[in-house]
Every structure is written in structure tokens, then in C-alpha cells.
Amino acid sequence: MTSTEKPMSFAADPRSTEALERIAAALEKLVPAPPAPIDLDAADAFVFSASAPHLQPVRQVNRVDMALLRGIDRLRDILTDNTERFAKGLPANNALLWGARGMGKSSLVKAAHASVNGRLTPANGFRPLKLIEIHREDIDSLPALMALVRETPYRFVVFCDDLSFDAADTNYKSLKAVLEGGIEGRPPNVLFYATSNRRHILSRDMVENERGTAINPGEAVEEKVSLSDRFGLWLGFHACSQADYLAMVFGYADHFGLAKDREAIEREALEWAITRGARSGRTAWQYIQDLAGRLGKVIG
């Protein structure tokens, strides 16, 4: 540029101004919107969305009445007592409900939550206990969930159904840090309940792989299985007897007004279980749905 030339003025060029405005608008779109405020009074149950992060209220929880859960009386009492103590601000333990499929593990968690909220009324100055479900694939977002609820006046049971980890999965380390061992750890207003078909949550292949590849197999396996040690309560669910299975069937049948021909129901329910290779609460409920459908009755 010579001494007689003038510097180019972008402000005087409308095309440059428009281009800058378009760039600024595009950059603004890249900035994530602030999360919507959480209305914890909207419901007593929520599903955690890790992408936002956000709590989605669930106004109608898919649950079974506590009275219909048969064959798990001792486990029911232990979990309900633990949940009630926590709701009252007393010490309570994280709980791992493990064992046979279809025996009411997740149903018991949801029923215990409803039972405690039903007994502890606002008249006694009680704030409803909140239930938050977190999906297994979002476990590594637990710290974000803890940050959402840490400073609120409510108490929360964070619930993960069918929790398990496979060989290439390292999210279990995030869970260990949240339950115990991290700098912040679990907030005092949060309790963690999980269900799993596995007692130690981790797959057998995952543990055996550590035995075969680690320099010190014993220490490596201990590090893996120590996750379940973070749960103060281990509640084991086992396959039910024929008597317990029939008690479940007739409990549902009586509740929904289906138990008119008890001999036929017993015969059909046992055949139903044999064809599915299992006796469980889930099998009993599936038979009851079939029976109600054949009788033209709506249940739910």
C-alpha cells in the first residue's frame, strides 16, 4: 500500500457487515442453551436425561402395589425400613437388589418409594421423597446428576435398573467414586438403589479376563468386585417355590376379581410356568394378563 492509498474500511462495506453478522449468528447457535429450571414439585418421580442434563417428571409411575408382592416379605421389610429412615433424615444404606429374573426387584424399589411417601404425610412436616431413574448407559453422568440435586431441600433415591458392566466398560469406576471414595462423594440427600442379575454387578467374563491378564490377578479381581461392597444392603432374590408362585397368581387374581374357578386357575398357571421354564412374579403377572384378556376384563 502506497502513502496515497487509504486503508480499507470494513464498516463501510455492507457486504462485510452482513458477513460478520451471519458469523456471529452462527456462533450463537453453537452455544448450548441454559438448562431449564427443574420443578421438583411437578412429580415425585423423574427420569434423568444425561444429554441436557435434565430431570423429566413422571406423573404416572409404572408400579405394583406393595400388597401384591408375594414371597419377598423379609426383603420388602428391610428395603422399606431403610427407605423410611432415609426419608426421615436418618442414616441409611445404598442397596443392591440382585438375583433371579422377574422376582420383583425393580417393583419393590418403586413400591417402597410409594409406601414411604404414603405413610409420611406433609402434615408432619415431611417433604415427599423423590425417585430418580438413571439409565445404565448414563452411569458416567452421575456426577452431573448429583450436582443437580445436591443443594435442593428434597431427598432422593436414585435408581438404576438392571445394572451390569461388561469387559470393555469402565463406567463402574464412576459409580464407585460417587458411592464412596470420591472427593465429593454422594450428597447426604441422595441414596442409590440398583438392581442386577449379578451379585457383583460385573460379568463373569470381565472378572476372568482380569485373572488371565493382570500382573497380580488377585488384586485386579478385588478391584473389580469391590464395586458391590459400596452397597451397605445386599438383598438376594431367588427363584420361588411352587407355593409362592401360586400365592402370587391368586394374589393378582383376587385383587382383580378373576379368581372364580380356582382349580382351573391353578392348573393353567402351573402349565404357564412350565412352558416358560420359570416360576416368578413376572411369570405370574403374564399369566394373569392372559387370563384377564380371555375373560374380557381390563386390569392395570
Side-chain angles (χ1 to χ4, degrees):
M1 182 173 68
T2 65
S3 59
T4 58
E5 293 177 332
K6 294 181 179 180
M8 183 178 294
S9 174
F10 287 96
D13 186 349
R15 290 174 300 177
S16 299
T17 303
E18 291 175 3
L20 290 172
E21 289 176 350
R22 288 196 300 270
I23 293 172
L27 291 174
E28 287 179 1
K29 291 180 180 179
L30 294 177
V31 178
I38 302 171
D39 182 8
L40 292 174
D41 294 321
D44 286 343
F46 299 83
V47 174
F48 176 63
S49 172
S51 57
H54 179 65
L55 292 176
Q56 180 66 38
V58 179
R59 293 176 175 83
Q60 187 66 39
V61 177
N62 178 25
R63 61 163 56 100
V64 176
D65 188 87
M66 183 75 83
L68 294 177
L69 297 178
R70 305 296 180 90
I72 54 173
D73 296 8
R74 178 174 171 275
L75 305 177
R76 175 200 65 202
D77 293 343
I78 292 173
L79 189 71
T80 303
D81 289 347
N82 189 68
T83 307
E84 185 167 329
R85 288 197 299 270
F86 173 70
K88 292 178 177 178
L90 298 172
N93 278 303
N94 300 312
L96 173 63
L97 291 72
W98 66 275
R101 304 186 310 273
M103 281 303 296
K105 298 185 292 294
S106 59
S107 294
L108 179 56
V109 171
K110 292 180 283 188
H113 168 253
S115 176
V116 168
N117 273 353
R119 286 203 305 273
L120 303 180
T121 63
N124 297 326
F126 168 73
R127 292 181 183 272
L129 180 65
K130 305 295 181 177
L131 180 67
I132 300 177
E133 182 176 13
I134 182 171
H135 298 303
R136 176 251 167 279
E137 57 269 20
D138 293 332
I139 282 295
D140 60 344
S141 299
L142 266 174
L145 174 56
M146 300 296 103
L148 279 179
V149 302
R150 186 182 297 272
E151 301 300 330
T152 68
Y154 289 97
R155 302 180 76 79
F156 302 86
V157 171
V158 175
F159 166 53
C160 184
D161 191 25
D162 197 21
L163 180 63
S164 62
F165 298 99
D166 294 316
D169 202 335
T170 59
N171 288 345
Y172 73 94
K173 295 182 179 180
S174 299
L175 179 56
K176 285 174 65 174
V178 168
L179 295 180
E180 285 183 26
I183 294 177
E184 285 190 301
R186 175 172 55 89
N189 64 332
V190 174
L191 204 61
F192 191 83
Y193 286 175
T195 71
S196 178
N197 294 333
R198 302 164 177 167
R199 182 174 182 178
H200 290 293
I201 305 177
L202 310 178
S203 69
R204 182 180 296 274
D205 289 344
M206 190 175 185
V207 175
E208 292 302 325
N209 182 62
E210 289 294 341
R211 293 187 194 277
T213 60
I215 296 175
N216 189 323
E219 290 181 359
V221 171
E222 283 297 316
E223 195 269 337
K224 295 284 188 184
V225 302
S226 66
L227 172 58
S228 57
D229 292 341
R230 264 65 175 179
F231 294 89
L233 283 182
W234 283 13
L235 303 179
F237 289 68
H238 306 287
C240 63
S241 65
Q242 178 171 300
D244 284 339
Y245 169 69
L246 290 175
M248 295 171 188
V249 168
F250 283 114
Y252 285 129
D254 291 335
H255 181 76
F256 294 115
L258 306 175
K260 294 185 178 179
D261 188 346
R262 300 182 78 85
E263 290 186 4
I265 289 177
E266 178 175 335
R267 182 176 62 254
E268 290 177 357
L270 292 176
E271 182 180 353
W272 185 275
I274 290 172
T275 60
R276 278 145 190 80
R279 292 191 297 257
S280 68
R282 181 179 297 141
T283 306
W285 174 244
Q286 290 167 345
Y287 166 72
I288 289 297
Q289 288 182 303
D290 179 77
L291 176 63
R294 287 188 281 114
L295 295 177
K297 293 206 173 186
V298 177
I299 62 175

